[in-house]
Amino acid sequence: MSRPEVRAGALKVLKDTLYGLYLDAGGPRLSDIATAMNENEDLPGLRSAHLIGRILSEPTFPQNENDVKAVAGALAILGGGDSQEQQARVSQLWREASKDPRPGFVMAGPNDPRGHFTARSQGYQGRVQGSDRFRGRHAALEAVTGWLQQDQPPGRPLVITGQPGAGKSAVLTRVALDLEKTTRVPGVAVHARGLTCDTLVECVAVAAGIDDSVSASELHDILKTDPGVPSRLVVALDALDEAAEGQVPRIASLLADLARLPRLRVAVATRPLTAGDRYRPETLLHQLRVTGPDSDNLVDLDTPGYLDPDGLRQFIVAILTDETTGRPSPYQAQPEVADRLAEVIAGRASSNHQQPGSNYLVAALNAAGATSHDKVLDPAVPGFDVAQIPATVDEAITKYTDGLGARKQVVMGLLTTLAYAAGSGLDQDRWLGFATALGYPVDAVAFDTLLDSPGADYLLSTTSSDGSVHYRLFHQALTDDLLARRRERGLYQRDQQRITGSLLPQSAGFPASAQDWSDIDDYTRHYLPDHAAAGWTLDRLMADPGFLLTCQPERILHHRDTLSGEPRAAAAALEAAATKDWPGWSHDQRAWWLHVWARRMRAHSLADTLITDHSSWPWHADTAIRPGITVPGQQIESVNAVAVFAGADGRTRIVTGCHGALVRVWDAETGTLLHKLVGHNGAVRAVAVFAGADGRTQIVSAGDDVSAVPEWAGGTGRYASVLVWDAETGTLLQELTGHYYGVWAVAVFAGDAGPTRIVSAGRDALVRVWDAETGTALQELADHPWGAVAVAVFAEADGQPRIVSADGAGSVRVWDAETGTALQELTGRPDTEVEKAMAVAGFAGADGQTRIVSGGRYEDSVQVWDAETGTLLYELIGHAYGATAVAVWAGADGRTRIVSGDGRGSLRVWDPEARTLLYELTGHNRPVNAVAMFTEVHGRTRLVSASADGWVMVWARVP
């Protein structure tokens, strides 16, 4: 193994040091180094001879620090040196090399992306087993290299396409690695198998030196305008057609957008994925801005300009005569025969008998098969039958398996099973498990039989970080052919159902318990949703909380379009719950948010199962109401106010006031909309309910709406209304006018003479008291120069009603409700003041004295005051971003409870006498604007919260 040629710099020092350790160890075989690594568990990194060879002999930057340390440690052991010392030494050198302006392209893809690029660039489908086999393809290489190196921005991605096996990957990977070696232009080289658009964004960002996590649009803007990113960046993406389910269009769109940027040069290899006209709108090639067969950004390897029959023949000869693979070939000593056979194989190689002489995959399968037999195939021998040389992938597989004799069923079963593998493939146990599930009589002996046969040439193996070996078929065309056979026999869906069953926790039914899912492996976590969707069983799993909480949300949501009814609602709930914080949440946090969103999306069976599985939750989401989806401009319609009452049928009703100028009445149990009250012309800020003189429930509402009254008609020029409605019919009963600006709070109480009073707090600095029956203004309490924003009514120990009001400057005042006399002003904590008081309420303390509760937008506590003296008694601390809503009620034990909401969307339930936090609920992601409590006829407590996120939640207290 020769020393890699690397330009001067930190990378050269690292490579020279590693090669020096290799020489000091006596130039051991790669397998000996791998053995030394396997025998020393303290050595980190992969145990792959192929990877070790690349680290020691290739001029590129090794992406994983642990791999470098492991190689250095093993070489030190073989050379009699200090393993720990050498690991520390190369670790420091690796870190210095990683800071080099160009330590190599950023590589991405399943398991070993650099291994993929290296192998394909040298003409291997699997790992590199010998010398470089790449031959010819000069026109294609020149076109791709020229595109990526041109000075003028092309504005479009270059697309390399062709039939399966045409050599797309070989051309792109060879150019990418050559540019990495010969230029200082940074770049990203991606093997797109299983790729998501988000992963590609991350890779491009890393290559551009962008440290922060960014979205696709943010990446585009930075690359377009930021002078700190490289002036030129290469993006080479191989096998776009193998990207994750549903991701191909998104990735294609991103590539097209990136290619428009002057800094970017983009090339992508992909199958067209379209029958008929490949260039019509909505096709993949059209999305990549290829408009026709003559587009200058198209390299179609199946067209005459890029076909290279002589290069194909030389490639076959290289396989037939390669002496570096360790596998003897009868053609090594007979080069003339190799030339003749290569001519025949090249002429036969095609894709489905189309365009013979153009398929590198079929040629490679035939050449590898010929080298595995002692008998030489010589076309010059009389009677030689050209038809014995397979012309397609299907024929090559059939010829191979027909020669297996008694082993055919076992080997074919294993290969067919492997065609179902997702991602980086299957380890031995999973592979045999799948095969058994499909009904193939296989065991470890059968596995060894395949690995010892020429069928091993059909496999690509990679070693993961834990040392396990994973296998998959080395080319997508092989996978396509084997699965097509199953589809033709009507077995594909059944196979996927059986594979799904083998991946489920063994004790799992539908649904399974949470414990059943706790030990599933990464393959199941990533790919069970794909197998279930292919087997049409995903809808059953959508009712299983363990599946939704454990498997990757992205993989599940790829298949949402295959779902309907409640399974589709469960997918919507998962999509909403699985925010960027989902991976870092505990199982219980995920379950909580999933049950909240399941209620909101009407996936009630899922929500009920989650609640049953988490009996320790003291509260849970019982009903979710969305008063309004959006207002013009596609903004969320904030829910500003909420109240509750018992309907004539005994069922609880919820009243909501929203930004969209509507008051709505809902059934609290079902979330059904009963009435829509139209009369306001601005945001509804406050609602309250009371019993009218006839015993019927009435609703009072107010908000931002302001109407003009001409001054010539005796008006003031403008006025704001407080509206009174019949709660059962939705009929408007009264309009109370007198405020000059918006009214932000209302409350009600029974007057001395019996009729109900309405209290309204307005931004015009006035608090008004009205007779609810006649609409007559009774009192005007004017002492809030910053506008009154909150109001409540409570009864003193002697039964006399008191009004408490607050303004935007933090002033809280207490009034005699009957006389309008100002009784008290709550001036705040010592040396400070209540900032921006937004919510107030009152209650009777255990000592019989009345308490006032207040909260503010900029206060992270709830304040409790003595109503008579105005003294701040204590604070309930714990909120973030202000205490924006408060309410009080009597608990089941007769003790008063305070519920408060904050600007972050959380709710807290307090015992004010013990001054302790009892419960914390999360369920909103924007400020809580209002809270209310009610008790159902069977005695269960319900908490209602309304938020700027557009949702009203009804929370049930567990008995």
Side-chain angles (χ1 to χ4, degrees), residues 891-903:
D893 57 1
R895 294 168 64 91
T896 297
R897 300 287 187 262
I898 297 174
V899 59
S900 54
D902 64 24

Side-chain angles (χ1 to χ4, degrees), residues 261-413:
L261 301 174
R263 305 174 192 266
L264 273 289
R265 304 292 182 269
V266 180
V268 54
T270 183
R271 290 186 291 176
L273 296 182
T274 305
D277 183 2
R278 303 187 299 180
Y279 310 106
R280 67 179 185 273
E282 308 304 325
T283 63
L284 176 58
L285 294 186
H286 191 275
Q287 192 173 9
L288 291 168
R289 305 190 69 190
V290 177
T291 57
D294 297 325
S295 292
D296 64 354
N297 65 324
L298 177 66
V299 174
D300 187 345
L301 299 179
D302 295 331
T303 57
Y306 294 109
L307 288 176
D308 188 356
D310 187 58
L312 178 60
R313 183 190 61 77
Q314 293 178 37
F315 169 69
I316 297 168
V317 170
I319 297 175
L320 292 172
T321 61
D322 193 347
E323 298 179 353
T324 64
T325 62
R327 180 185 299 171
S329 167
Y331 301 95
Q332 292 169 359
Q334 303 183 61
E336 299 85 358
V337 177
D339 283 339
R340 290 194 292 269
L341 182 59
E343 194 74 38
V344 174
I345 291 175
R348 292 279 292 169
S350 67
S351 175
N352 298 323
H353 298 285
Q354 298 176 0
Q355 200 161 3
S358 61
N359 196 287
Y360 280 72
L361 172 60
V362 176
L365 291 173
N366 285 330
T371 63
S372 65
H373 300 289
D374 294 333
K375 181 182 177 181
V376 173
L377 293 176
D378 187 353
V381 174
F384 177 84
D385 184 6
V386 174
Q388 68 181 301
I389 305 297
T392 65
V393 171
D394 183 71
E395 291 179 8
I397 294 175
T398 300
K399 181 178 178 62
Y400 160 65
T401 56
D402 285 346
L404 295 174
R407 298 178 299 169
K408 177 178 179 178
Q409 183 182 10
V410 170
V411 172
M412 194 62 182

Side-chain angles (χ1 to χ4, degrees), residues 501-744:
S502 73
L503 290 172
L504 291 175
Q506 292 305 303
S507 59
F510 288 98
S513 66
Q515 292 84 350
D516 292 325
W517 290 92
S518 59
D519 294 327
I520 66 170
D521 60 11
D522 285 342
Y523 185 92
T524 303
R525 188 172 293 107
H526 282 78
Y527 302 115
L528 173 57
D530 299 338
H531 291 297
W536 296 4
T537 56
L538 182 60
D539 55 343
R540 296 176 65 197
L541 283 171
M542 295 303 293
D544 190 325
F547 169 73
L548 298 173
L549 296 171
T550 309
C551 290
Q552 269 205 335
E554 296 84 357
R555 305 305 308 175
I556 298 172
L557 296 175
H558 284 327
H559 307 287
R560 78 190 82 184
D561 291 340
T562 67
L563 303 170
S564 60
E566 186 146 328
R568 190 176 181 89
L574 178 64
E575 181 178 21
T579 65
K580 60 181 178 60
D581 298 320
W582 180 271
W585 281 345
S586 67
H587 184 277
D588 196 64
Q589 285 176 300
R590 293 181 182 182
W592 175 263
W593 277 103
L594 183 60
H595 110 278
V596 168
W597 280 103
R599 278 285 184 248
R600 291 176 173 179
M601 297 295 113
R602 302 294 187 263
H604 293 304
S605 295
L606 173 62
D608 292 342
T609 302
L610 283 160
I611 293 167
T612 301
D613 287 348
H614 295 81
S615 57
S616 62
W617 289 346
W619 295 79
H620 61 256
D622 197 53
T623 309
I625 298 171
R626 192 75 183 268
I629 304 301
T630 57
V631 294
Q634 299 299 306
Q635 296 178 348
I636 294 172
E637 183 179 353
S638 174
V639 187
N640 302 318
V642 68
V644 295
F645 68 94
D649 58 0
R651 297 173 65 88
T652 302
R653 307 287 192 250
I654 295 176
V655 185
T656 60
C658 301
H659 249 54
L662 290 176
V663 177
R664 298 177 176 89
V665 181
W666 311 81
D667 184 297
E669 183 177 349
T670 65
T672 303
L673 177 63
L674 302 177
H675 296 297
K676 186 184 294 185
L677 312 183
V678 180
H680 290 283
N681 60 28
V684 178
R685 297 286 183 179
V687 294
V689 294
F690 64 94
D694 58 359
R696 294 171 62 88
T697 301
Q698 296 182 22
I699 299 169
V700 56
S701 60
D704 287 344
D705 46 336
V706 175
S707 301
V709 179
E711 294 187 8
W712 58 264
T716 60
R718 55 191 296 140
Y719 73 93
S721 297
V722 177
L723 304 182
V724 181
W725 315 80
D726 185 299
E728 294 297 332
T729 65
T731 304
L732 178 62
L733 302 177
Q734 290 201 73
E735 181 177 5
L736 313 180
T737 60
H739 286 283
Y740 302 139
Y741 295 97
V743 177
W744 276 32

Side-chain angles (χ1 to χ4, degrees), residues 717-896:
R718 55 191 296 140
Y719 73 93
S721 297
V722 177
L723 304 182
V724 181
W725 315 80
D726 185 299
E728 294 297 332
T729 65
T731 304
L732 178 62
L733 302 177
Q734 290 201 73
E735 181 177 5
L736 313 180
T737 60
H739 286 283
Y740 302 139
Y741 295 97
V743 177
W744 276 32
V746 294
V748 294
F749 68 96
D752 283 344
T756 299
R757 305 292 190 245
I758 296 172
V759 186
S760 58
R763 293 178 61 202
D764 55 2
L766 299 178
V767 176
R768 290 179 176 270
V769 182
W770 314 79
D771 184 305
E773 284 190 31
T774 65
T776 304
L778 303 176
Q779 301 283 351
E780 183 177 293
L781 316 179
D783 209 4
H784 282 296
W786 292 92
V789 296
V791 70
V793 178
F794 63 92
E796 284 283 14
D798 59 4
Q800 292 300 307
R802 298 288 185 260
I803 297 171
V804 56
S805 58
D807 64 26
S811 173
V812 179
R813 288 177 167 79
V814 182
W815 314 80
D816 185 302
E818 293 297 332
T819 66
T821 304
L823 302 176
Q824 194 62 254
E825 180 176 3
L826 314 183
T827 57
R829 299 171 304 197
D831 303 322
T832 182
E833 63 176 287
V834 182
E835 296 184 73
K836 305 294 184 184
M838 295 296 291
V840 291
F843 69 95
D847 57 2
Q849 298 301 308
T850 305
R851 307 285 188 255
I852 295 173
V853 185
S854 68
R857 183 176 299 279
Y858 302 112
E859 282 291 335
D860 291 342
S861 66
V862 174
Q863 298 90 40
V864 179
W865 314 76
D866 185 300
E868 183 175 352
T869 66
T871 304
L872 176 64
L873 300 177
Y874 53 85
E875 294 179 274
L876 305 175
I877 299 173
H879 279 296
Y881 305 102
T884 54
V886 295
V888 296
W889 89 99
D893 57 1
R895 294 168 64 91
T896 297

